[in-house]
Amino acid sequence: MPHWRTWHRPLVLFAAAMAVLTVVSGVGLLVDDRVLAGSAIWFKPFKFAVSFVVYALALAWMLTLLTRGRRTGWWAGTVVALTGLVEMAIIVGQVVRGKRSHFNNATPFDASLFAAMGATVVILWAGTLVIAILLLRARIADRASAWAIRSGVFLALVGAGFGFLMTQPSKEQRAAGNLDTADVIGAHAVGVPDGGPSMPLTGWSTTGGDLRIPHFVGMHALQLLPLFLLALVALAPRLARLRDPRVRLRLVRVASGAYAAVTALVAWQALRGQALIHPDGATLTATALVLAATAAGTYGALRPRSGAYTSPAVEKELVS
C-alpha cells in the first residue's frame, strides 16, 4: 500500500479538519442541550464529520492507484474536499444559529443555504464519479483489489444518490399543497414525519422508512469492500485457501454482490415506509434469499478447483 504521505493532500487535510470537528461536535453533544427536529442539535455535524473522515481518507488512498489521468484525479479529489468543506460549514453555521440545515425553506436566507448545500452535493457526487471513471481505467495488478475498489466506488455513488431523493417533497408535503409557502420541503423519513421515535446512535426512524439507511450503507462500501479484501490478505498466511489470488477474487465478487443486494434491500424497505427494525414478511423473505445466495456463493468461492495456484509475485505485492 502506498505510504500515506503520498495520498491526496487536500482530501487528507479535509479528513483532519473533520476529525477536529468530530471532537468539537462531541463536546457540543455534552454541553449543549438544544434539540432540533427531535435530535440533539450537534448530532448531525457529528455524524457527518465522522462519515467524511472515512470517506475522504478512502478517496485519498484510491487516488494513489491511478495510472492515467492523475492530474484530473487530483482536481476531482480537490473539488470533493472543497465542496465537502462548504457543506459542513453550512451545517455548523446553522447549528450555531439554532436552525435546520436540511430541507429548511423558512426564510429566503435559510432556503438559499439549503440550495447551496444541494449544489455542493451534486458537485461532490460528480467529483466522485470522475474518480470512479479514472479507477475503471487504472491498471491495478491484482484483480481482487481492482474489483473491491471499483465496486466500492460504484456502490458509494449509488448510496450518495439516495440523498437526492430526500430533497424531494414527501407524499404528505405534496398532499398539503402549500409547497410555495412551506417552511420544510423534503424529508429523511418515509410515511412518518421527521423527528419521531428513532434508533439510538444512528437516529434512524423506528416507526417508518428512512432514506438515510441506504444512503449510509451504500456510501460506506467505499471503505468496507477494500477492508474486506485486506482482511482476506491478512488471513492468507493462516488459511491456505486464501493464498490463491483467484479465491480472493471470487470472495470479493461475492461480497460485492451481497453488499449491492443489501443496499437494494434497505432502499426497498425504506421506500415502502417500513422501519429497519420492523421488517414484514416480504422483507424477511428477501433477507433470507440474500443470505442463502451469499452462503452459496461463499461455498463456491472456497471450493477447491483443479489447476488452482498461487502467484508468488502477486502475493508478495499484496502483502507488502
Side-chain angles (χ1 to χ4, degrees):
M1 178 180 292
H3 193 277
W4 70 270
R5 291 183 184 275
T6 67
W7 294 12
H8 188 274
R9 180 153 299 186
L11 281 169
V12 171
L13 292 175
F14 173 56
M18 292 302 99
V20 173
L21 181 56
T22 299
V23 176
V24 172
S25 301
V27 173
L29 286 169
L30 295 175
V31 303
D32 192 340
D33 60 0
R34 290 180 296 166
V35 174
L36 185 63
S39 178
I41 200 167
W42 283 97
F43 190 42
K44 184 183 290 280
F46 178 83
K47 289 193 301 181
F48 271 65
V50 171
S51 181
F52 267 134
V53 168
V54 293
Y55 189 81
L57 288 178
L59 282 182
W61 163 63
M62 289 179 181
L63 283 168
T64 65
L65 304 176
L66 298 182
T67 55
R68 290 184 289 180
R70 285 180 176 271
R71 185 173 181 81
T72 301
W74 188 91
W75 279 110
T78 302
V79 166
V80 169
L82 290 176
T83 52
L85 192 62
V86 171
E87 181 178 6
M88 290 306 298
I90 294 174
I91 290 174
V92 173
Q94 289 293 75
V95 166
V96 173
R97 296 179 64 230
K99 304 293 184 180
R100 291 182 64 146
S101 54
H102 288 74
F103 321 128
N104 190 349
N105 288 271
T107 68
F109 180 68
D110 290 319
S112 65
L113 287 178
F114 181 49
M117 288 181 62
T120 63
V121 170
V122 172
I123 296 170
L124 189 149
W125 189 90
T128 305
L129 176 61
V130 170
I131 294 172
I133 293 171
L134 292 173
L135 287 169
L136 284 174
R137 300 177 61 205
R139 297 175 181 174
I140 302 174
D142 179 60
R143 294 176 64 196
S145 297
W147 191 279
I149 292 166
R150 291 164 180 167
S151 57
V153 174
F154 172 76
L155 288 171
L157 285 168
V158 173
F162 286 110
F164 299 124
L165 293 180
M166 301 181 205
T167 64
Q168 303 303 309
S170 67
K171 181 179 179 181
E172 293 75 19
Q173 291 167 352
R174 289 194 299 268
N178 61 340
L179 296 181
D180 292 335
T181 58
D183 289 346
V184 176
I185 299 178
H188 300 133
V190 179
V192 294
D194 281 352
S198 61
M199 298 170 60
L201 188 61
T202 63
W204 296 336
S205 175
T206 58
T207 56
D210 199 316
L211 290 169
R212 290 174 295 183
I213 300 172
H215 181 64
F216 174 88
V217 173
M219 285 192 66
H220 290 291
L222 189 71
Q223 301 89 38
L224 294 178
L225 288 175
L227 285 174
F228 174 73
L229 175 60
L230 290 177
L232 296 181
V233 173
L235 291 171
R238 297 184 180 182
L239 302 174
R241 293 294 302 132
L242 297 183
R243 295 171 194 164
D244 185 344
R246 295 183 299 178
V247 171
R248 292 196 295 267
L249 173 60
R250 292 196 294 267
L251 286 172
V252 168
R253 285 174 172 170
V254 171
S256 300
Y259 204 104
V262 170
T263 303
L265 178 60
V266 294
W268 177 55
Q269 188 179 14
L271 290 170
R272 289 187 294 135
Q274 185 179 112
L276 180 69
I277 60 174
H278 298 300
D280 61 10
T283 301
L284 290 174
T285 300
T287 302
L289 291 173
V290 171
L291 290 173
T294 303
T298 302
Y299 173 77
L302 291 171
R303 186 177 180 181
R305 302 186 184 187
S306 60
Y309 70 97
T310 302
S311 170
V314 173
E315 186 73 33
K316 182 178 179 181
E317 179 180 346
L318 279 171
V319 174
S320 63

